[in-house]
Amino acid sequence: MLSPERRTSMAERRPSFFAFQQATPLLVPHLAGIEDPLPEATPENVDVLIVGTGIVESVLAAALAWQGSNVLHVDSNDYYGDSSATLTVEQIKKWVSRINDNKIPCYKNAKLYASNDIGPTCKYKSRSFGIDLSPKIMFAKSDLLSILVKSRVYQYLEFQALSTFHTFENDSFEKLSNSKQEIFTNDTLPLMIKRNLMKFLKFVLNWENQPEIWEPYKDRSLADLLAEKFKLERPQVFELIFSIGLCYNTDAKIPETLQRIRRFLISFDVYGPFPVLYSKYGGAGEISQGFCRSAAVAGATYKLNEKFVSYNPETKIATFENGSKVKVEEKLVLSPSQAPEYSYNMPEQKYEVHRLTCIVEKDCSEWFNGNESAAVIVFPPNSLKSGNQEVVQAIIVGSGSECCPDGTCIWYLFTTQQGPRAELDLDAALEAMEISIIRESSVKIPQDESLVQVSEDGHSTINSFKLGQSFKEYVKREKVQFLFKLYYTQCTMVPPFNVVDPSLFMPSSGASSKFIPSACDNNVIYTAMPSSEISYDEVITAAKVIYEQIVGSDDDFFDIDFEDEDPVTSSNSYGTSRAIQYDENAIEDEEEEDIDMDQGDKDGDNSDVVGKLEI
C-alpha cells in the first residue's frame, strides 16, 4: 500500500482528464494512476527487468515498452523516482534514517534538521513540500526536451521559465548581459567590452569550424583564451565560464567549455527571454513519473515495494524479497541504489557530489525575474570565505513551482569538492545567500534607481540582485528562519563535468558474484547514479547507450507511430496547444498561432509561458 505521505500524482492534480470527452483521443492516453491498482502477481517471464525508477531507468523503460519489449519495472520504495525522487519532509526523514543504517547504497553522511513548524498539526504540512534528491534544470534546446516532445510525455508535465543566473564575486552577485539586444542597449558596458563580447558570442556559436582561434590554447584554460584572444576582463570571463558555461573550475578543457557556453546561448530566446526550464511539482522525480506513465501505457508492468534480492545468470531467474520470481529473457538493468549488498562487482562509485538542501521561511522573490519561481546561483572558485577550490552551484525554487507553500523557498546547494572540505564550502555559500536575502528584503530600493555599480577602476557591472552594498559593508541584523536543513553525500561513477561516457555501461572484466554476474556476462547492466551535472544532459545519452545494448541499435529509440496524428498539435482538457518545436523562428511561429506570449514578455513575466504550451 502506498504511503499517505506521498505527494499527489499527476492524475490526481488533473482530475479534469477523467471527465473530459473528445472525438480525438490523447496522443498518449492519460492514466488514472499507475500506482492503483498494482498487479497482484509478478509476471512469469519478461524480456527486460528494470530495478529502480530513476529518471534514466524510466526513460529506458518507456523506450523499450514502445519498441515492443515486455518490461517489468520495479522499485523497492513506495514512491517513484528512486535516486531522482521528489519527496515530502516525512519521506526525507525515513530516507535519511535508511542511509544512516547503511540500507541505501551510494549515499552517506546524511544529516537532517527539521523544524517543529512542519508536521500534521503544524503551520506547514510535510506533503506541502516536494524536495528533489537530484535537482536539475533543463535547457530549452536539449536531448531530453526533444524526447519529451517526441514521446508526448510533455503532456503529463508543466514547466516554468528560468532566466536568472547569478554569479557571486567580490562580495556581491553580478550578472552578465548575455544576449545581443542586452549588450547593445546596455549603457553601462564600455564600447570595447561590447564589441569583444559580440565577437566572442559570434565565435562560440560556430567554434568547431574555427580551430585556428582555439587550438593554440587547447592545453591552456579558457580564461586565457578569453583574456588574450578576446580581450575580456575578469567579470565577463567568470560569468562566461561559471554562470553561462556552468563549469566547476578553470581547468575544464576548452572544447567542452565552449560547447557548454553555446548550450546556454542557443537555448536563450527559443521560447522567450530565458534559456532554461524548471518542472513544476518537482524536478527529475516528476519527469521520471511521466516516463513511467508512458511506459505503462505501452504495456510495461509496474510494482512498487518490490525489493530485488538476487539473480541467477544460468537460469535467468530474478528473485524478490517476497519470494516471487521472474525469468528475464534478455537483460537485467539495475540501479546501484537498489543493488543487493553482495553485489561487490558493481562499478565503483568513486566520485562524490556533496549536497545541502534547505527550506527557508522567505519567498526570496528578490532573486527571481518577474513572476518566475526559480533561479541559479554560482559561486566560482575562491569567491567564498572558505577559499573554495571548486564551484558551488545552487538552484533556488519558490512557491510558484508548487514545490513549497507560499512564503517559503527551497535552496539546493551542491559541489564536486571531494572530502570533508566540501561541507565547509557549502556552509560558506549558505551564509552568503543568507546575508544577501536579508539585505535584499530589508533594503528598499526605488524602482527607478540605477542598478549599475561602478568600481574604483571605473569598470561598471550590472548587479542582478540590485545590491547597494558589498557584503563587507553590510551588518546583518536578523536571521533567516530555516525550516529544514539536509546534508548528504551522493556517490556516482560519472566523473565531474563529463558527458556520459559510453564505456561506463560497456562489458568489463571483473570477478563474478554468485548472485549477480559481472558486466562482462552480458546479463546485468548497471545504470549510473545521477552525476554532479546541473542539467539533464546526461539522461538521454545514458538511456540510449543501455537501450542499444539490449536491442542492438538505437535507431528506433522512441520511434513511435501515434496513428499519424499531427506531431505539432494535440488536444487535451486544457484546449488545443502547440507542442514545442526546435527552430530559429519558434517565437514568431507562436505569435502567428495566437499563443499569448507577448504580454508575459512585455511585463518580464516568463513564469507560465511554457505552461501555456502545455508541456
Side-chain angles (χ1 to χ4, degrees), residues 493-514:
M493 65 178 178
V494 183
F497 195 71
N498 251 355
V499 296
V500 172
D501 183 352
S503 67
L504 292 172
F505 307 97
M506 297 301 180
S508 60
S509 60
S512 294
S513 164
K514 178 180 178 182

Side-chain angles (χ1 to χ4, degrees), residues 237-310:
V237 169
F238 269 45
E239 288 282 355
L240 286 167
I241 294 177
F242 299 118
S243 186
I244 306 301
L246 294 170
C247 300
Y248 301 141
N249 52 52
T250 56
D251 297 330
K253 295 180 180 179
I254 285 182
E256 287 86 347
T257 305
L258 292 175
Q259 185 67 26
R260 292 166 75 91
I261 293 174
R262 182 170 65 181
R263 172 184 66 179
F264 181 102
L265 296 176
I266 64 175
S267 294
F268 201 89
D269 264 340
V270 173
Y271 310 119
F274 53 88
V276 164
L277 310 174
Y278 189 84
S279 57
K280 291 180 68 174
Y281 304 101
E286 187 77 354
I287 297 174
S288 297
Q289 189 185 154
F291 278 103
C292 288
R293 196 167 292 280
S294 176
V297 172
T301 300
Y302 278 84
K303 295 195 75 174
L304 298 183
N305 287 311
E306 189 78 293
K307 185 175 182 180
F308 166 78
V309 296
S310 68

Side-chain angles (χ1 to χ4, degrees), residues 387-455:
N388 57 311
Q389 299 173 359
E390 298 284 320
V391 164
V392 175
Q393 296 175 333
I395 300 175
I396 312 304
V397 180
S399 60
S401 67
E402 303 294 342
C403 292
C404 55
D406 290 343
T408 66
C409 190
I410 303 177
W411 299 355
Y412 297 104
L413 296 85
F414 38 98
T415 179
T416 58
Q417 175 65 51
Q418 305 296 287
R421 180 189 178 93
E423 188 170 325
L424 297 177
D425 292 344
L426 291 173
D427 284 337
L430 182 64
E431 181 181 356
M433 291 171 62
E434 181 182 5
I435 294 174
S436 172
I437 193 59
I438 290 174
R439 175 174 53 185
E440 285 303 287
S441 59
S442 61
V443 177
K444 304 299 182 182
I445 300 179
Q447 292 295 321
D448 60 348
E449 182 170 332
S450 174
L451 306 184
V452 178
Q453 292 185 349
V454 181
S455 59

Side-chain angles (χ1 to χ4, degrees), residues 9-21:
S9 69
M10 298 171 185
E12 292 166 330
R13 287 198 300 268
R14 293 186 172 186
S16 54
F17 270 107
F18 306 121
F20 186 71
Q21 300 292 328

Side-chain angles (χ1 to χ4, degrees), residues 463-481:
N463 196 326
S464 61
F465 275 175
K466 301 175 289 187
L467 303 179
Q469 307 167 275
S470 76
F471 279 7
K472 294 177 181 178
E473 299 170 345
Y474 180 74
V475 178
K476 185 172 63 174
R477 295 181 175 84
E478 59 176 301
K479 292 184 177 181
V480 169
Q481 178 65 36

Side-chain angles (χ1 to χ4, degrees), residues 88-140:
T88 68
V89 172
E90 288 300 319
Q91 287 175 325
I92 287 286
K93 290 179 180 178
K94 296 176 181 178
W95 182 76
V96 168
S97 178
R98 292 176 60 208
I99 290 176
N100 294 333
D101 290 339
N102 297 316
K103 293 183 178 179
I104 306 181
C106 306
Y107 291 94
K108 59 184 179 179
N109 303 331
K111 296 184 293 183
L112 173 65
Y113 160 78
S115 167
N116 292 329
D117 288 334
I118 302 177
T121 60
C122 301
K123 183 177 180 180
Y124 301 105
K125 301 296 185 288
S126 165
R127 67 200 305 265
S128 298
F129 297 95
I131 301 165
D132 289 331
L133 298 184
S134 180
K136 304 282 186 182
I137 58 176
M138 183 183 302
F139 282 91

